[in-house]
Amino acid sequence: MRLNNNLSQWNDSYPGESDIIKDISKGVSYVGYDQESEIVMTFAFIKGEDPTYRIIYEGEWLNEEPYGTIHRIASNGKIREVLKSACDYCFQNTDNIRIDTHEDNKPMLRALQKLGFVRCGIISCRDGSPRIAFQKSKDQ
């Protein structure tokens, strides 16, 4: 992120090892491999209500149907279309995906637009910082 001028979305302590261990223990941590079996991407996919998405400002969600949320998506930089791969998997398990990102995360904002996600508004993270919230439905 720092190479793309996103200096404030993630810091040296988030996401931390404890966040990843918690995702693994809850069964919501996923990885993607390349042809050489090297892990090249990771993300958390959480089905059900996300507490930080209960209140949305400057807009509204596309619908209130059940959804899954993609969090903590990252790659090692060796492959492209990481978000597309994650969404392809997630849409096998839900009809709605919600996701958020920092306004400085330009690569993610471009990827979300390219994949047809709709900007729905602004949510607040647990620490109170704002994020741009998006949603996409299978039937959209």
Side-chain angles (χ1 to χ4, degrees):
M1 289 194 190
R2 284 166 181 73
L3 293 175
N4 287 295
N5 295 318
N6 184 357
L7 306 177
S8 57
Q9 182 170 357
W10 287 356
N11 55 41
D12 292 335
S13 64
Y14 181 85
E17 185 176 340
S18 64
D19 298 300
I20 305 307
I21 290 170
K22 198 179 306 179
D23 288 344
I24 292 168
S25 69
K26 290 179 177 179
V28 299
S29 180
Y30 297 86
V31 296
Y33 297 90
D34 66 9
Q35 295 171 330
E36 288 78 40
S37 298
E38 177 184 2
I39 295 175
V40 293
M41 64 179 281
T42 183
F43 63 97
F45 176 58
I46 304 154
K47 290 177 70 175
E49 184 181 14
D50 184 318
T52 61
Y53 289 179
R54 287 183 188 144
I55 299 172
I56 187 167
Y57 304 95
E58 299 177 24
E60 62 185 13
W61 295 112
L62 297 178
N63 60 54
E64 292 302 324
E65 301 298 317
Y67 63 92
T69 305
I70 296 175
H71 283 300
R72 294 176 286 286
I73 187 165
S75 79
N76 66 358
K78 294 183 179 181
I79 63 168
R80 300 181 58 82
E81 300 192 346
V82 171
L83 181 60
K84 181 183 183 315
S85 295
C87 288
D88 288 347
Y89 172 79
C90 295
F91 271 128
Q92 294 174 25
N93 296 282
T94 188
D95 290 339
N96 284 292
I97 296 175
R98 293 181 182 181
I99 190 170
D100 64 85
T101 194
H102 193 281
E103 66 181 346
D104 291 340
N105 193 341
K106 303 303 183 198
M108 178 63 83
L109 291 168
R110 283 191 298 273
L112 289 164
Q113 180 180 8
K114 180 179 177 182
L115 291 174
F117 277 80
V118 175
R119 184 187 190 280
C120 294
I122 306 294
I123 59 101
S124 294
C125 293
R126 284 178 282 185
D127 67 2
S129 62
R131 295 290 184 270
I132 304 171
F134 295 84
Q135 184 175 3
K136 183 174 180 180
S137 289
K138 265 187 187 176
D139 60 359
Q140 166 186 350

